[in-house]
Structure formats: structure tokens, C-alpha cells
Amino acid sequence: MSEPRLPPELEHAIFKVAAMNFPGTIPTLMRVSRRVLEWTEPLLYRVLQFQMETIPTEGFLRAIRANSQEFAARSVESIFFEAPQDISRELGTELLRKCTGIVRFGTTYPFTGTAVLEALGNLPNLRHLTLNLGSLLSWDDGSVPDASLDPLPAAFRNITHLSLIDYMIDDADEHNTYALLPRLPKLTHLAMRRGAMSDNAIRTLLPSRPQLRVLLLTDNTNPFPLPDGLPSADPRLVFGFLSTEYRGFWGDWLSGSKGDRDMWALSYETVQGRINSKASHESWSSSDAWISMSTEPISRNQPVSPELDRKLDYSRMDDELLPSLPAGQE
């Protein structure tokens, strides 16, 4: 068994940087040695587009069965349930209990209820939340709790970025949402559909939330010129084009999860530019102020074939480094 030629800390750092910058090389890096496998395999699932019977998902489920309990905790940082109707509530909540390193979580309306809210509350690092708040707050018996939930559910205590996909077609949803938002102590970024927030709600929310840095209202079409003018002259109010179509919306979510530019980044830059320039609010009340990002639409993960399923087996890994290259070819 050969020994590492570099200090373990430096060797670890090198492989981690390589895996983070070039994620496509991770399967190859995993075959260098047992210790490199332990360093790089968790990074394979750092951003997980969870859909049953696809290669990333089945590989991850196999990996958490084969590794120690801490594997799931140190692997996933961002996860969204791409087809929550295909994921049982039991499996989904179990994953949230195991993957305690999650920073970003996204889902759509089928994954809801008290068990989900409780599981989200056990994620100490959760900061970014994208979901339908109205359905999350619909209890399993069909009732809707009052927004004065006391104490505030742990799931919301550390949220900084909240992206709501609610349509607000129900009065109870609207009431509970606007009653709950002021209670989120660390909220700095809020995104909603333009049609889900009235002008009066905008004028009420912004003055009451001085720590809010961005209020992003999105739509499929350019809202300018606004028939009644801007609902607020507050520079934190940003109108943005973000497709409500599934593939486009979640494509932007994935872009931000991977560390690339997304609507959050562009919105924050827009607000800072307004503040720093000390421009009059009239300068952002036209179509020229409309922000838009072109991100790659999400694509479906490749399904697992029987042949590939047999290959997803790392049990024959050994602790030997690959042979060194001949002199002069390093």
C-alpha cells in the first residue's frame, strides 16, 4: 500500500478543489484511492435533483445505504424534489432527517404538511427555501393553521432567501402568508409572483421590513408601463422576468445552487446599483429597468438501465493509488 506524497490536508484540498471546479471528473477521482473516494463521493451529490429511478438519485440512495450515517449529512447542500408526487412522504421526510447539511431546499405543492414542516425544522443550515407556503401550512387533516403559530416553526427561523410559488387564490393562504412574513427574523430576500402580491401589500411590507434587501416580483411578461405607476419608490422593489414554466423556473434554482449567477444575484446587484447611484425612482419605473436572466432550462435526469445499475458498485475499491506516470509525463 503506497503512502500519500503530500500532507493529507493539502492532498484533501487539491482533490476537493478539482472536484468542485470540474464535477464531471468526480467519478474518475473516486477511483484514485479509497481515501479520495471518501473525499469526493459526497461532492457528487452536493446539488441533487431528486427524481426516483434516475442515475443521480439511485446512486445517492445506494451510497447512503453503503456508507456511515454521516455520509448523507456531509453530502447534500442543495436538493429539490423534482417530482414530489412520485416520492412518498415517508421517504422525503427521511431524507430531510438524514441530510442535515442542506442549505437550499425546493419543492412543489404535493410535498406538504406537518411532518414536512417538522423535518425542515431539523435542518440547522437551511437558509434558502423555495416552495408553496400555503400548501406547506395545510395540515394533514385539511385544516389551515393560523399564521400566529407560536412559537415560530423552526423551519423558518434561519431563512434568508424565500421564494414563494403560491398563486394566492385562496384568502386563507394570502392572510397566513402576509401574517407570517414579518415574523421571519433573518429574511433578507423575498421573491413572489407579481400577481400574488397586491400594491397595498407591497406598500405595507417594505417599510415594515428594513432588513429586507430585495423584494423580487416575477412574471412571464413585462409589466411596464404600470397603469397606476410604481406601487413603491423603494429601491428594493425589483420586477423581473422569470418563467413560471417548470423547466425554466427550476433551471434558475439549479444555477444558483451550483454557485452560478441567478435571479437573486442579479436582483441584489440591481438594488445596490440604485442605492449607490442615488438615482431617482423614476429611472427604474420603465421597461428599461426590467431585469431578466437567461439560464439553462432544467433537463430530466437519465433513467437507470439494468446494465448501468449493475455497474453502480464501488465495493471493489482498494486503497492503492493509481500507478505514477513515467518520468517526464507528470
Side-chain angles (χ1 to χ4, degrees), residues 1 30-37 314-322:
M1 183 184 302
M30 288 165 56
R31 287 165 171 78
V32 171
S33 72
R34 172 64 67 177
R35 63 179 175 278
V36 176
L37 167 69
Y314 309 126
S315 60
R316 291 188 298 274
M317 284 282 182
D318 55 38
D319 227 356
E320 294 293 328
L321 292 171
L322 292 178

Side-chain angles (χ1 to χ4, degrees), residues 66-95:
N67 286 277
S68 65
Q69 291 185 353
E70 69 165 1
F71 179 85
R74 64 189 179 95
S75 295
V76 182
E77 292 182 9
S78 301
I79 186 172
F80 88 96
F81 293 154
E82 184 176 353
Q85 64 270 23
D86 297 330
I87 303 168
S88 69
R89 181 115 24 122
E90 292 73 21
L91 175 59
T93 53
E94 181 184 358
L95 284 170

Side-chain angles (χ1 to χ4, degrees), residues 82-262:
E82 184 176 353
Q85 64 270 23
D86 297 330
I87 303 168
S88 69
R89 181 115 24 122
E90 292 73 21
L91 175 59
T93 53
E94 181 184 358
L95 284 170
L96 293 180
R97 284 193 293 270
K98 290 179 179 293
C99 301
T100 53
I102 290 175
V103 177
R104 298 175 185 242
F105 176 72
T107 188
T108 53
Y109 68 89
F111 191 65
T112 60
T114 51
V116 176
L117 188 62
E118 185 177 320
L120 291 173
N122 290 324
L123 300 176
N125 301 313
L126 184 64
R127 299 293 182 271
H128 289 237
L129 195 56
T130 301
L131 43 64
N132 184 304
L133 187 62
S135 63
L136 179 67
L137 296 180
S138 295
W139 284 176
D140 299 331
D141 61 3
S143 64
V144 178
D146 188 272
S148 61
L149 292 168
D150 189 25
L152 180 71
F156 302 123
R157 292 177 186 168
N158 295 314
I159 297 300
T160 59
H161 293 64
L162 180 63
S163 182
L164 300 182
I165 57 178
D166 303 64
Y167 281 102
M168 298 293 191
I169 57 177
D170 185 281
D171 289 342
D173 288 349
E174 184 173 2
H175 168 76
N176 282 331
T177 297
Y178 293 136
L180 185 64
L181 288 177
R183 300 181 59 211
L184 306 190
K186 297 185 179 180
L187 184 66
T188 57
H189 294 66
L190 173 64
M192 297 181 67
R193 303 178 194 272
R194 169 65 179 120
M197 180 170 273
S198 68
D199 289 357
N200 284 335
I202 294 170
R203 287 189 283 266
T204 299
L205 179 67
L206 285 168
S208 68
R209 299 288 300 183
Q211 72 270 43
L212 194 68
R213 299 175 185 173
V214 172
L215 172 58
L216 171 63
L217 301 182
T218 63
D219 207 337
N220 279 320
T221 57
N222 191 326
F224 295 106
L226 297 168
D228 301 318
L230 279 174
S232 171
D234 196 306
R236 298 172 294 167
L237 174 61
V238 179
F239 291 96
F241 173 80
L242 179 62
S243 174
T244 54
E245 187 270 330
Y246 186 92
R247 294 176 67 247
F249 179 87
W250 289 108
D252 185 78
W253 187 94
L254 277 180
S255 181
S257 297
K258 293 175 181 178
D260 299 327
R261 278 172 59 80
D262 61 355

Side-chain angles (χ1 to χ4, degrees), residues 268-289:
Y268 183 70
E269 291 170 6
T270 299
V271 171
Q272 291 305 301
R274 293 171 178 177
I275 295 173
N276 293 336
S277 68
K278 299 181 180 178
S280 168
H281 71 273
E282 283 84 1
S283 65
W284 61 80
S285 62
S286 69
S287 58
D288 294 337

